[in-house]
Amino acid sequence: MSATSLLLASVADQTPRFHQEKPHVRSVVPVVRYATLLRHEPRLTDDETHRVHEAMHAMWPEWKTRYAAALAKHANVLIGDVWFNPEQEVRYRLDGKTPMIDLPEAVIAQKSPSGISLRNCAALCVHDFSSKIWTRINPVPPKELPVDSLPEVLDRYRSLANLCGEWFHSELKKISNDLLAGPRAANDGALEVTTVGLRVDDAGERGEDFDAWLFDSNGAPQIDKEDFQKFMTQGAVLDYDIREVAKHESVAFWTPMTTAVRLANGDLASRSAMYLVRLIGDDMTQAVGIAFDDSEAGDLASEVALKMSRVLANRL
Amino acid sequence: MADTTEEKLRGMIASFSVRREANPFSSLVEKICGVTFVNKTNDPYRKRPKDKESVRIALVSMPFVSFDTVPRSSLSEAIACPDGVDDVAFLRQLVSFKAERADRMFAAFSEALEMALHSTPSADVICFNELGLPATDMVPMLRAKKLAWDKSQEHGALIIAGSAHDSRTLYNTGYIFRPGGPEAGQGFHKSVSARSVGELISAPAHKSVAAVYFAGLRIATMICIDVADYASIASVIKVADGVDVLLVPCYTTKFEKMGAIADLTSKALPGVVALVNADLPGDAKVCRIARFGKSDESTTKMTTPAGAVISMLDINLSQFDEERTRMKTEGAADWEKVEYLFGRRDMPSFTASPKT
């Protein structure tokens, strides 16, 4: 057999395997982003958002102790287990058109297997949308969690995001001298964007086919695939067959969302998550997505969650 | 605006369900070309420097130096041209700068580095034009490469030292010098020959666009007409969430024709695209800057004693992030054209729940 024939035979052997073998999920990286929505009437002004930031920034050196204590209490750890990134400060920036006040990242119980990274921020909308008091929680990078722990971890993250978000909101109201409270600010529901990165081993070219395990060429979800059913059901905590979303949800849609991640070999690769977006109760929007993640840093869920959050937040 | 959450969600469904056709070529570009970072994720120079609001990019246009075009063959001398194959297929034509011009080229290169690094504020990134790397006998000049590396270490600057035709490989190769990077630089290659100006080069079988994460910006670079090659540019747009800036060393008298490509690419990223040409006789411009779909001017322009023109491009990092995020979450006017060319990447596309 010639060298060329050998080469071609080798390619022929491998090609079907790439397309038939489903990605093996070795661990999970869940990211929960939760926001309380507030509508201001009349709208906030740019000047007011700067005043909130100035107040927050001035208070930070003392207030961070209170903040650490609250995080420790809600996370059920010692206050010494809460660490703030000293390279970060209370920052004012524009996220698109929206003024944002970012608190420094908090790392809670870093050395514990259940350690988390948490960040609170306030998106103070000066346009015709709601302001959002955000809490983001994920494992401390590059930590990955056991596959079986996903339901329990998501339950914990959601509960913690809710508690910490509420606490931060109540503090922000005081700090801003009731600028964000009172009759001017009305509750406008909630937004949750939960994304689960399904870590798979570096699979080389197979990564290009991951999308096909999540959605078909028309963008329709692969709801008959076993892993898709399992992880999406766990992520969204569905008590019915995921194939019956249309029957059970009053308003729901599926959508892929794509981003770019860096692979271990330095290549930049396009990867997607598939999201189910639905209305919960009267005023909560929930987006739950899963993504096969072969990135170097395990940051696909984090990256795509931010992108999805921005797109949804910009329309609520 | 809708009042209830349900109305807002239904509004999203209506807007996301508008499907626009994407050209069929856009879905396969990753199998043809890719973007690869030359530095590691733990490179300390990748981060945005603290207390630094802007990144300054110096676009260096080297003065025109006359050259010869030298024919070469990609076929080994020991091998005869196979029967039935036209030997034109093996013809390569490389630029050879005259030996007596070497010192002048090196002086211009050296002066430009000095002036850019000592401007106020100093340049963080320096990008020379295509064929701007001094060469002798169709081999990149070692002392020029050494100087570029030394300066990158000394000033913590990223230097894309232009490119040179190389008679050893028959490639048109550019070099990236970065603090903490290898002394020999990191080469990247042009993949398309500019046949209209007589360039005939070889290219690597593995088509790739080089990128470097530096000073908080993800900077990709490709050489001249590669930016007009659909697979190359679409492969960059395909991973545009990981690319902020595209720097394109050029050497062409037909520079204006590439301006529209720069504008469109900067919109599709969205981000900044800068083309840097040599300072050629005639009316071809020395550089073309496009920000978020619109052409822009350099902040300042200066000329070295040896005749190199330096155009400064300042990127305010906060404003850059703000505009990029705004465009990615809201879209922009005529976005349909971008979606047709490269596919939908930043917006959801509604899919109804399958009926059981």
Side-chain angles (χ1 to χ4, degrees), chain A residues 128 208 218 243 262 267 307, chain B residues 1 31 36 39 241 356:
Chain A
D128 197 16
E208 295 172 10
N218 293 316
R243 287 168 291 194
R262 182 183 165 131
D267 284 355
K307 196 169 171 181
Chain B
M1 183 171 171
K31 296 189 188 296
T36 304
N39 56 341
D241 282 307
T356 51

Side-chain angles (χ1 to χ4, degrees), chain B residues 185-257:
Chain B
Q186 288 168 295
F188 60 101
H189 315 283
K190 190 176 183 182
S191 63
V192 179
S193 296
R195 293 186 306 162
S196 62
V197 292
E199 179 188 55
L200 293 174
I201 50 167
S202 293
H206 179 80
K207 201 170 180 177
S208 178
V209 175
V212 57
Y213 201 160
F214 182 79
L217 291 172
R218 283 92 41 103
I219 300 169
T221 183
M222 55 172 66
I223 300 172
C224 202
I225 200 166
D226 277 4
V227 78
D229 173 51
Y230 177 76
S232 297
I233 201 66
S235 71
V236 174
I237 304 303
K238 187 96 179 168
V239 292
D241 282 307
V243 177
D244 302 306
V245 175
L246 179 62
L247 296 179
V248 188
C250 300
Y251 192 103
T252 176
T253 52
K254 295 172 181 167
F255 194 57
E256 286 310 301
K257 288 190 175 177

Side-chain angles (χ1 to χ4, degrees), chain A:
Chain A
M1 190 183 264
S2 71
T4 307
S5 304
L6 272 172
L7 184 64
L8 291 176
S10 158
V11 170
D13 288 346
Q14 288 175 27
T15 303
R17 189 162 59 83
F18 281 141
H19 295 282
Q20 289 169 6
E21 202 177 276
K22 70 172 184 175
H24 171 69
V25 180
R26 67 164 191 256
S27 58
V28 291
V29 181
V31 180
V32 171
R33 305 178 74 95
Y34 180 85
T36 301
L37 277 55
L38 298 170
R39 179 165 288 269
H40 287 82
E41 193 60 49
R43 292 177 200 162
L44 290 171
T45 63
D46 281 324
D47 180 54
E48 285 172 325
T49 65
H50 280 287
R51 275 162 41 205
V52 175
H53 169 251
E54 283 158 16
M56 189 87 234
H57 189 268
M59 283 196 67
W60 173 255
E62 290 180 23
W63 182 78
K64 70 179 178 185
T65 311
R66 258 174 75 73
Y67 183 37
L71 294 181
K73 179 185 156 200
H74 293 314
N76 201 21
V77 298
L78 298 171
I79 192 169
D81 286 334
V82 178
W83 174 86
F84 294 116
N85 189 334
E87 291 184 4
Q88 297 173 358
E89 56 183 15
V90 179
R91 184 174 62 153
Y92 183 97
R93 67 185 170 90
L94 288 177
D95 194 66
K97 289 188 298 193
T98 307
M100 297 280 287
I101 299 171
D102 290 336
L103 296 192
E105 176 197 21
V107 175
I108 302 174
Q110 180 161 25
K111 290 177 183 167
S112 155
S114 57
I116 56 169
S117 161
L118 180 151
R119 189 196 281 271
N120 281 116
C121 67
L124 301 177
C125 198
V126 293
H127 300 283
D128 197 16
F129 297 100
S130 299
S131 291
K132 281 111 194 154
I133 312 299
W134 282 102
T135 305
R136 185 268 295 147
I137 300 180
N138 50 261
V140 182
K143 204 170 282 183
E144 302 169 9
L145 305 176
V147 172
D148 293 345
S149 70
L150 183 62
E152 181 197 330
V153 169
L154 283 179
D155 188 46
R156 178 170 165 251
Y157 283 12
R158 284 184 167 123
S159 165
L160 196 53
N162 205 323
L163 286 169
C164 293
E166 271 183 22
W167 185 87
F168 176 50
H169 184 198
S170 66
E171 289 292 300
L172 203 55
K173 282 193 273 192
K174 292 181 221 159
I175 292 167
S176 64
N177 226 2
D178 288 341
L179 203 60
L180 302 178
R184 190 179 168 195
N187 177 27
D188 202 22
L191 168 61
E192 181 204 297
V193 179
T194 291
T195 311
V196 182
L198 307 172
R199 292 290 278 154
V200 294
D201 294 324
D202 180 15
E205 289 180 15
R206 202 176 57 165
E208 295 172 10
D209 299 323
F210 287 162
D211 286 358
W213 292 91
L214 298 173
F215 51 90
D216 66 17
S217 56
N218 293 316
Q222 295 284 23
I223 50 174
D224 291 323
K225 304 269 190 217
E226 187 186 336
D227 275 352
F228 187 94
Q229 288 181 4
K230 175 184 161 187
F231 291 112
M232 194 56 94
T233 300
Q234 289 180 355
V237 200
L238 299 181
D239 56 3
Y240 57 81
D241 189 323
I242 197 164
R243 287 168 291 194
E244 296 181 339
V245 163
K247 186 174 146 191
H248 290 268
E249 304 295 342
S250 59
V251 186
F253 65 94
W254 295 93
T255 181
M257 180 55 90
T258 305
T259 190
V261 291
R262 182 183 165 131
L263 307 183
N265 64 1
D267 284 355
L268 205 49
S270 171
R271 297 286 183 264
S272 301
M274 187 62 177
Y275 279 94
L276 168 63
V277 184
R278 60 178 178 155
L279 175 68
I280 293 186
D282 288 334
D283 60 3
M284 178 171 166
T285 302
Q286 185 196 53
V288 175
I290 59 172
F292 290 106
D293 181 0
D294 59 341
S295 67
E296 181 178 20
D299 55 356
L300 171 56
S302 173
E303 293 293 322
V304 76
L306 175 61
K307 196 169 171 181
M308 190 66 182
S309 301
R310 280 172 166 158
V311 167
L312 293 177
N314 203 45
R315 287 159 177 79
L316 289 171

Side-chain angles (χ1 to χ4, degrees), chain B residues 14-328:
Chain B
S15 68
F16 296 155
S17 62
V18 179
R19 278 184 179 272
R20 299 191 186 103
E21 190 187 0
N23 88 70
F25 299 95
S26 65
S27 61
L28 292 171
V29 290
E30 270 185 308
K31 296 189 188 296
I32 299 173
C33 182
V35 177
T36 304
F37 279 95
V38 299
N39 56 341
K40 303 276 185 199
T41 49
N42 60 0
D43 180 352
Y45 291 91
R46 70 200 283 270
K47 288 185 181 170
R48 175 179 176 167
K50 213 172 180 190
D51 303 326
K52 192 170 179 66
E53 285 188 2
S54 293
V55 167
R56 169 162 275 205
I57 301 177
L59 306 170
V60 180
S61 304
M62 292 281 277
F64 173 75
V65 176
S66 58
F67 57 82
D68 295 321
T69 305
V70 177
R72 285 280 192 276
S73 173
S74 63
L75 207 57
S76 165
E77 283 179 10
I79 298 173
C81 181
D83 290 342
V85 178
D86 192 337
D87 58 8
V88 171
F90 307 106
L91 175 65
R92 301 292 181 264
Q93 287 191 155
L94 305 182
V95 161
S96 174
F97 290 105
K98 295 181 188 307
E100 61 271 23
R101 308 283 187 195
D103 283 341
R104 189 182 147 197
M105 280 187 80
F106 181 77
F109 185 80
S110 174
E111 275 179 13
L113 279 175
E114 286 297 328
M115 190 175 278
L117 290 168
H118 292 97
S119 65
T120 308
S122 62
D124 304 288
V125 180
I126 301 174
C127 181
F128 285 80
N129 63 275
E130 180 186 17
L131 302 181
L133 178 63
T136 42
D137 293 333
M138 291 180 287
V139 173
M141 200 185 284
L142 271 181
R143 61 178 165 145
K145 288 180 69 183
K146 174 78 169 55
L147 179 69
W149 186 79
D150 284 344
K151 294 295 177 191
S152 73
Q153 309 310 301
E154 185 184 339
H155 294 269
L158 169 68
I159 298 172
I160 298 170
S163 73
H165 281 175
D166 194 319
S167 60
R168 299 166 299 183
T169 58
L170 308 180
Y171 289 177
N172 183 343
T173 301
Y175 287 88
I176 296 170
F177 297 92
R178 55 185 178 82
E183 191 167 354
Q186 288 168 295
F188 60 101
H189 315 283
K190 190 176 183 182
S191 63
V192 179
S193 296
R195 293 186 306 162
S196 62
V197 292
E199 179 188 55
L200 293 174
I201 50 167
S202 293
H206 179 80
K207 201 170 180 177
S208 178
V209 175
V212 57
Y213 201 160
F214 182 79
L217 291 172
R218 283 92 41 103
I219 300 169
T221 183
M222 55 172 66
I223 300 172
C224 202
I225 200 166
D226 277 4
V227 78
D229 173 51
Y230 177 76
S232 297
I233 201 66
S235 71
V236 174
I237 304 303
K238 187 96 179 168
V239 292
D241 282 307
V243 177
D244 302 306
V245 175
L246 179 62
L247 296 179
V248 188
C250 300
Y251 192 103
T252 176
T253 52
K254 295 172 181 167
F255 194 57
E256 286 310 301
K257 288 190 175 177
M258 310 229 298
I261 292 172
D263 289 350
L264 182 63
T265 304
S266 73
K267 182 174 185 173
L269 278 174
V272 171
V273 176
L275 314 180
V276 53
N277 202 8
D279 187 14
L280 300 175
D283 52 9
K285 289 186 175 173
V286 289
C287 74
R288 180 69 147 75
I289 296 167
R291 290 185 203 243
F292 301 108
K294 293 175 185 160
S295 64
D296 198 3
E297 296 297 320
S298 58
T299 316
T300 54
K301 217 166 245 184
M302 49 187 96
T303 305
T304 68
V309 180
I310 304 175
S311 311
M312 295 297 187
L313 159 62
D314 292 316
I315 298 177
N316 179 298
L317 295 169
S318 298
Q319 287 173 6
F320 180 91
D321 287 345
E322 180 189 326
E323 181 61 8
R324 182 169 157 96
T325 301
R326 191 194 65 72
M327 283 181 72
K328 287 173 93 67

